[in-house]
Amino acid sequence: MAVKDRDRFSTATRLRLLGEQTAARVYRSQTRRQARRSRLTSRAALLALVLCSLVVALAYPMRQYVSQRADIADLKREKQQARQRVEQLRDLKARWQDDAYAEQQIRLRLHYVMPGETGFVVVDPEAARQSRADLGAADRPWYSNVWDGVDKSDASGQKN
């Protein structure tokens, strides 16, 4: 036992243990570096480069594709609206072919009356006063009329 204790404290034993510990540290650090290096190989870098170039190359065509699909959807919607408008116009044309509908519209829009009937037109008194006030505007210079129109439109905007 005394020989073992003496060997344990000898300089040669200490140097040997210190060398082994240092070698173990160096080995561990080298294996860590190798593990880090092995993550990104030249093949992986080339693959990443190819993928990035594909993404860049396909970005513009994909944007165009999406844009064109949106345009197609808009055109289909417009086509459907045009078809509905055509159907409405066909219905209106068919209604105008009916004499009763045409007579009703003529009476309503043009204020026609049948022979023997008496036609009356009711005039709104407020509108009559306003038209008389507008007749006085002809005697004034044009710029006064323009300014009065601006004032009237401004006043109507404040009421709403």
Side-chain angles (χ1 to χ4, degrees), residues 73-135:
D74 289 342
L75 290 174
K76 284 181 179 179
R77 184 182 40 80
E78 288 176 12
K79 180 181 173 184
Q80 183 63 27
Q81 289 175 350
R83 281 186 180 165
Q84 289 174 353
R85 179 70 179 140
V86 166
E87 287 299 318
Q88 290 172 353
L89 291 174
R90 283 185 182 154
D91 292 344
L92 184 62
K93 181 181 175 185
R95 272 195 245 144
W96 277 100
Q97 299 299 325
D98 182 21
D99 290 337
Y101 180 77
E103 183 180 326
Q104 176 194 13
Q105 292 299 314
I106 291 170
R107 285 171 162 255
L108 181 68
R109 294 181 184 189
L110 302 176
H111 305 288
Y112 278 21
V113 292
M114 296 299 286
E117 293 180 353
T118 305
F120 294 98
V121 176
V122 178
V123 178
D124 183 20
E126 185 66 32
R129 272 190 236 121
Q130 196 172 26
S131 66
R132 277 191 230 116
D134 289 341
L135 288 176

Side-chain angles (χ1 to χ4, degrees), residues 1 19 25-26 46 51 53 86-87 92 107 129 148 156:
M1 203 125 139
R25 285 187 202 136
V26 168
L46 183 62
L51 287 176
S53 62
V86 166
E87 287 299 318
L92 184 62
R107 285 171 162 255
R129 272 190 236 121
D148 287 343
S156 67

